Amino acid sequence: MAKKAVKKKQPKAIASTQSLSAFVKSICDVMRRSNCASALQYVPELTWILFLRILDAQQAKEREEAEVIGTNFSYALNSPYRWQDWAAPFSEDEKHQQTDEGKPFGWKRQELFAAGDGQLFDFINKELLTYLHGLDIDQRTGLPNQNVSRKQRIIGRIMSAVERVRVDSETNLRDIIDMVDEINIDHVGDQHFFTLSQVYEDLLLKMGEKNSDGGQFFTPREVIRAMVHTVDPEPGKTIYDPGCGTGGFLAIAYEYIARKLGNSPASTDIDTLKHDTFFGREKENLVFPIALANLVLHGIDQPNLWHGNTLTGKATYPALFDKAPKVFDYIFTNPPFGGKEGRDAQKNFAFETSSTQVLFLQDILKELAPNGTCAIVLDEGLLFRTNESAFVETKRKLMDECDLWAIVSLPGGVFSTAGAGVKTNLLFFTKGKKTEKIWYYDLSHVKVGKKTPLTLAHFGFDRDGLMLADNQLPGNLIADWCEDNTDKPFPSYARMLKHRGMDDGESRYSWTVDLTERRTKAREAMQPLLDEASQLKAAVVDLKEKFKRFKKEQKDITELEGQIREKEKNVRELENKAADIDAAVFDLKAVNPNAVAKIDSRTPQQIIQNIETQGRIISEALTKLNTLLN
């Protein structure tokens, strides 16, 4: 007896990020009971299933658009390897969608279903994955496939890490496929566009993987948007992330520039944006295909991503990076916190250290084009550490070669949900001019947590980068200000950014550090020490000449040896003091000189009276509670 056809459900409307997260969580509940217990198992599995689903939907949309303007269209995947063939639910209804070949959607799936248990697994493992892998590497020669388009090669590379289906039963797999099929890109608004990095963030961080170091793979999207709004990248320029994770910086920069181009951009502008604008590197095998998939589904048809170790230069898969320039106009990045690098990475840099972030910063200084701008997330330690030469010299090089024009001090909990509880800052700098002044903005007073994350509104921006009015700002941002300044506009980051470097750019939360003046004062303080050290060195030279003469004449040299040792010790101490003064110039930690401290002006007697009053209140409450219980 033939098996009954599967009925197709209506696409699920996804109206918000929350409903998307809840829907994806329900899919993962099925995956958890299907041999995919941990995030490291179900994230890659869900990634390729989602990718093929939304790729098919996007291609259907592109086909319709091609029909309207009368141009030819070819699917990236052949039948029966498209989602609409083997995964979409089948129906015998006359109104059911049909493929270009005149077959109902889901025809291959129904054929496999009717053939019996195990056929769907066999098709995916032995035919579908073999076909998809072949788009990247020719299975006969083991060499890159030269007969496919660049987009097909990217699809093949996304699928290259998938060796077989991990889900343990066809029933569970069909349930997962049916749920994924309900996600329809027409039902996701632009502001909630379905992205794999959003799903990856939800899966890795909100679904119980407490010990996963998710922070190395992504940056909170609202922080990225604030960084992109601050830099305001122009179309036609190159954008790069040397440690791109799931591709969040590149994807959001794409959205920003696409909006900037408007509703009717020139075809050449769109072609440049999709093919020649975005470049990135990623080391992790798990994350690289997720980054590719995320960028393709955003609309970046040809992500120029390099798979390998940025710091050692060792490539795992460089084929998609062949069009990359030597330097880039914009760099957006968040290097891993607290990483440690070995000698194979350190030897590539002028200032050797095991600190991953310091090496990344040196790498960025090499790869940033003249007049290019970088926005980077760095931990507090890199800013204030002056006790290691590599930290000091890297910051010196940064400020000698670039104008470090802004530092934003973020609240302590911004990255805590990502498994990284470190205090962080945003740095913005442009190459080609020495740093003279640094403008700071302090957001560290904002209390953030898992349920109250830092949002774009905390920076004072709306989604399009326009400045929000005070009545649109979050309460936990402006509460303290409103207590004392009811008639003044709140000095939000977006408002003050326009005035950085000017008197109007100073406020309770923003200030300017004159680095030129700081360097001048340091030189003035160092000079007497260096002069004294120089005099002592000259005296040591004379003493050593005398030492040689005494030794030759076989005179007692004990006293001379003591004098030389003492003066050399004094030289070292003086030079170390001078070096400490010099290094202190490069302590860039944000210390707000305008912060308003709340002072308790009560007398000791008033404090004691308040404690007694609170004690009476508690005592009365306990008496009432005991009365009720009795």
Side-chain angles (χ1 to χ4, degrees), residues 34-47:
S34 310
N35 196 37
C36 295
S38 74
L40 294 180
Q41 293 173 325
Y42 60 68
V43 171
E45 188 81 344
L46 184 56
T47 293

PDB file of all heavy atoms in Angstrom, residues 34-47:
ATOM      1  N   SER A  34      17.602  13.711  18.912  1.00  0.00           N
ATOM      2  CA  SER A  34      17.948  13.014  17.672  1.00  0.00           C
ATOM      3  C   SER A  34      19.448  12.866  17.487  1.00  0.00           C
ATOM      4  O   SER A  34      19.975  13.086  16.401  1.00  0.00           O
ATOM      5  CB  SER A  34      17.366  13.762  16.471  1.00  0.00           C
ATOM      6  OG  SER A  34      16.000  14.037  16.658  1.00  0.00           O
ATOM      7  N   ASN A  35      20.165  12.568  18.575  1.00  0.00           N
ATOM      8  CA  ASN A  35      21.610  12.343  18.499  1.00  0.00           C
ATOM      9  C   ASN A  35      22.402  13.628  18.300  1.00  0.00           C
ATOM     10  O   ASN A  35      23.532  13.603  17.828  1.00  0.00           O
ATOM     11  CB  ASN A  35      21.948  11.343  17.379  1.00  0.00           C
ATOM     12  CG  ASN A  35      23.355  10.793  17.509  1.00  0.00           C
ATOM     13  OD1 ASN A  35      23.829  10.554  18.614  1.00  0.00           O
ATOM     14  ND2 ASN A  35      24.030  10.598  16.402  1.00  0.00           N
ATOM     15  N   CYS A  36      21.796  14.775  18.608  1.00  0.00           N
ATOM     16  CA  CYS A  36      22.498  16.059  18.512  1.00  0.00           C
ATOM     17  C   CYS A  36      22.310  16.792  19.839  1.00  0.00           C
ATOM     18  O   CYS A  36      21.591  17.795  19.926  1.00  0.00           O
ATOM     19  CB  CYS A  36      21.951  16.900  17.355  1.00  0.00           C
ATOM     20  SG  CYS A  36      22.218  16.200  15.735  1.00  0.00           S
ATOM     21  N   ALA A  37      22.942  16.271  20.884  1.00  0.00           N
ATOM     22  CA  ALA A  37      22.670  16.749  22.230  1.00  0.00           C
ATOM     23  C   ALA A  37      23.306  18.099  22.539  1.00  0.00           C
ATOM     24  O   ALA A  37      22.754  18.899  23.283  1.00  0.00           O
ATOM     25  CB  ALA A  37      23.143  15.706  23.248  1.00  0.00           C
ATOM     26  N   SER A  38      24.483  18.384  21.979  1.00  0.00           N
ATOM     27  CA  SER A  38      25.195  19.616  22.335  1.00  0.00           C
ATOM     28  C   SER A  38      25.178  20.616  21.186  1.00  0.00           C
ATOM     29  O   SER A  38      24.930  20.261  20.034  1.00  0.00           O
ATOM     30  CB  SER A  38      26.648  19.294  22.692  1.00  0.00           C
ATOM     31  OG  SER A  38      27.383  18.993  21.530  1.00  0.00           O
ATOM     32  N   ALA A  39      25.474  21.876  21.548  1.00  0.00           N
ATOM     33  CA  ALA A  39      25.493  22.943  20.538  1.00  0.00           C
ATOM     34  C   ALA A  39      26.507  22.654  19.437  1.00  0.00           C
ATOM     35  O   ALA A  39      26.275  22.975  18.272  1.00  0.00           O
ATOM     36  CB  ALA A  39      25.806  24.280  21.200  1.00  0.00           C
ATOM     37  N   LEU A  40      27.625  22.050  19.796  1.00  0.00           N
ATOM     38  CA  LEU A  40      28.656  21.760  18.790  1.00  0.00           C
ATOM     39  C   LEU A  40      28.181  20.724  17.781  1.00  0.00           C
ATOM     40  O   LEU A  40      28.768  20.578  16.709  1.00  0.00           O
ATOM     41  CB  LEU A  40      29.934  21.275  19.478  1.00  0.00           C
ATOM     42  CG  LEU A  40      30.643  22.312  20.349  1.00  0.00           C
ATOM     43  CD1 LEU A  40      31.886  21.707  20.979  1.00  0.00           C
ATOM     44  CD2 LEU A  40      30.999  23.547  19.539  1.00  0.00           C
ATOM     45  N   GLN A  41      27.106  20.003  18.096  1.00  0.00           N
ATOM     46  CA  GLN A  41      26.534  19.041  17.152  1.00  0.00           C
ATOM     47  C   GLN A  41      25.350  19.641  16.393  1.00  0.00           C
ATOM     48  O   GLN A  41      25.270  19.525  15.172  1.00  0.00           O
ATOM     49  CB  GLN A  41      26.082  17.779  17.907  1.00  0.00           C
ATOM     50  CG  GLN A  41      27.234  16.986  18.499  1.00  0.00           C
ATOM     51  CD  GLN A  41      26.766  15.849  19.380  1.00  0.00           C
ATOM     52  OE1 GLN A  41      25.754  15.966  20.073  1.00  0.00           O
ATOM     53  NE2 GLN A  41      27.494  14.752  19.368  1.00  0.00           N
ATOM     54  N   TYR A  42      24.427  20.290  17.124  1.00  0.00           N
ATOM     55  CA  TYR A  42      23.228  20.720  16.410  1.00  0.00           C
ATOM     56  C   TYR A  42      23.391  22.040  15.649  1.00  0.00           C
ATOM     57  O   TYR A  42      22.641  22.300  14.703  1.00  0.00           O
ATOM     58  CB  TYR A  42      21.994  20.766  17.316  1.00  0.00           C
ATOM     59  CG  TYR A  42      22.023  21.681  18.514  1.00  0.00           C
ATOM     60  CD1 TYR A  42      22.036  23.062  18.381  1.00  0.00           C
ATOM     61  CD2 TYR A  42      21.964  21.155  19.806  1.00  0.00           C
ATOM     62  CE1 TYR A  42      22.023  23.886  19.482  1.00  0.00           C
ATOM     63  CE2 TYR A  42      21.942  21.974  20.917  1.00  0.00           C
ATOM     64  CZ  TYR A  42      21.972  23.348  20.751  1.00  0.00           C
ATOM     65  OH  TYR A  42      21.954  24.166  21.848  1.00  0.00           O
ATOM     66  N   VAL A  43      24.363  22.873  16.028  1.00  0.00           N
ATOM     67  CA  VAL A  43      24.554  24.118  15.281  1.00  0.00           C
ATOM     68  C   VAL A  43      24.991  23.847  13.834  1.00  0.00           C
ATOM     69  O   VAL A  43      24.366  24.339  12.900  1.00  0.00           O
ATOM     70  CB  VAL A  43      25.545  25.058  15.997  1.00  0.00           C
ATOM     71  CG1 VAL A  43      25.904  26.239  15.105  1.00  0.00           C
ATOM     72  CG2 VAL A  43      24.934  25.564  17.295  1.00  0.00           C
ATOM     73  N   PRO A  44      26.044  23.040  13.598  1.00  0.00           N
ATOM     74  CA  PRO A  44      26.411  22.752  12.207  1.00  0.00           C
ATOM     75  C   PRO A  44      25.303  22.010  11.439  1.00  0.00           C
ATOM     76  O   PRO A  44      25.086  22.269  10.260  1.00  0.00           O
ATOM     77  CB  PRO A  44      27.667  21.872  12.342  1.00  0.00           C
ATOM     78  CG  PRO A  44      28.206  22.188  13.695  1.00  0.00           C
ATOM     79  CD  PRO A  44      27.010  22.454  14.546  1.00  0.00           C
ATOM     80  N   GLU A  45      24.595  21.099  12.129  1.00  0.00           N
ATOM     81  CA  GLU A  45      23.527  20.350  11.457  1.00  0.00           C
ATOM     82  C   GLU A  45      22.407  21.282  11.023  1.00  0.00           C
ATOM     83  O   GLU A  45      21.929  21.233   9.891  1.00  0.00           O
ATOM     84  CB  GLU A  45      22.990  19.263  12.397  1.00  0.00           C
ATOM     85  CG  GLU A  45      22.014  18.298  11.755  1.00  0.00           C
ATOM     86  CD  GLU A  45      22.700  17.195  10.963  1.00  0.00           C
ATOM     87  OE1 GLU A  45      23.907  17.331  10.656  1.00  0.00           O
ATOM     88  OE2 GLU A  45      22.050  16.209  10.634  1.00  0.00           O
ATOM     89  N   LEU A  46      21.985  22.161  11.940  1.00  0.00           N
ATOM     90  CA  LEU A  46      20.925  23.105  11.596  1.00  0.00           C
ATOM     91  C   LEU A  46      21.394  24.111  10.554  1.00  0.00           C
ATOM     92  O   LEU A  46      20.607  24.545   9.701  1.00  0.00           O
ATOM     93  CB  LEU A  46      20.455  23.823  12.864  1.00  0.00           C
ATOM     94  CG  LEU A  46      19.285  24.792  12.711  1.00  0.00           C
ATOM     95  CD1 LEU A  46      18.087  24.105  12.094  1.00  0.00           C
ATOM     96  CD2 LEU A  46      18.920  25.407  14.055  1.00  0.00           C
ATOM     97  N   THR A  47      22.665  24.464  10.604  1.00  0.00           N
ATOM     98  CA  THR A  47      23.208  25.443   9.653  1.00  0.00           C
ATOM     99  C   THR A  47      22.996  25.004   8.207  1.00  0.00           C
ATOM    100  O   THR A  47      22.477  25.772   7.394  1.00  0.00           O
ATOM    101  CB  THR A  47      24.713  25.658   9.909  1.00  0.00           C
ATOM    102  OG1 THR A  47      24.881  26.288  11.179  1.00  0.00           O
ATOM    103  CG2 THR A  47      25.326  26.548   8.835  1.00  0.00           C
TER     104      THR A  47
END
